Amino acid sequence: MSIILLINGPNLNLLGEREPDVYGTDTLADCVGDARAAAEAAGHTLEDFQSNHEGELIEAIQGARGRCAAVVINPGAFTHTSYAIADALAAYDGVKVELHLSNTNAREEWRRTSVVGPVVTGTVAGFGRTGYRLAVEAAVASLQEA
Ligand code: DQA
């Protein structure tokens, strides 16, 4: 049994209220619940963490080193700007899944660049709440292949 760490970045605490036309009406607790169910169905434990602060997200990634088998991360808008989060992920050598509710490639130009994309195992985007389950299942599959 391994630990999968689910990290959610800025403004994701507002899921359900925030731009529901883009992000849906389900809450972060709903999404985390789906992720936890998927992890536990595969015999793993899910830890979850949300922060609006870049440094706290970096510390959570660093804290996964040597402790968690996989990190699933929705970095919110830091996806597009944070070389520091990209560096923290590069220094983490477990399975890494980048996750987005929306299809960032189909939105504004500035959302089409992910600075974390090059350092993760893979990306799940555009499937809304379902993406939380899919991202954990992708992490589990990747762990089984390793
Ligand atoms: C997001 C996409 C980002 O561009 C945005 O800043 C978010 C949410 C998503 O889950 O679709 O906060 O990561």
Side-chain angles (χ1 to χ4, degrees), residues 10-12 18 22-23 74-80 99-104 107 110-111 132:
N11 299 307
L12 292 163
R18 171 195 184 203
V22 178
Y23 299 115
N74 183 344
F78 286 137
T79 304
H80 318 295
L99 168 64
H100 301 287
L101 291 143
S102 64
N103 178 357
T104 47
R107 300 182 63 195
W110 61 269
R111 290 187 206 272
Y132 279 77

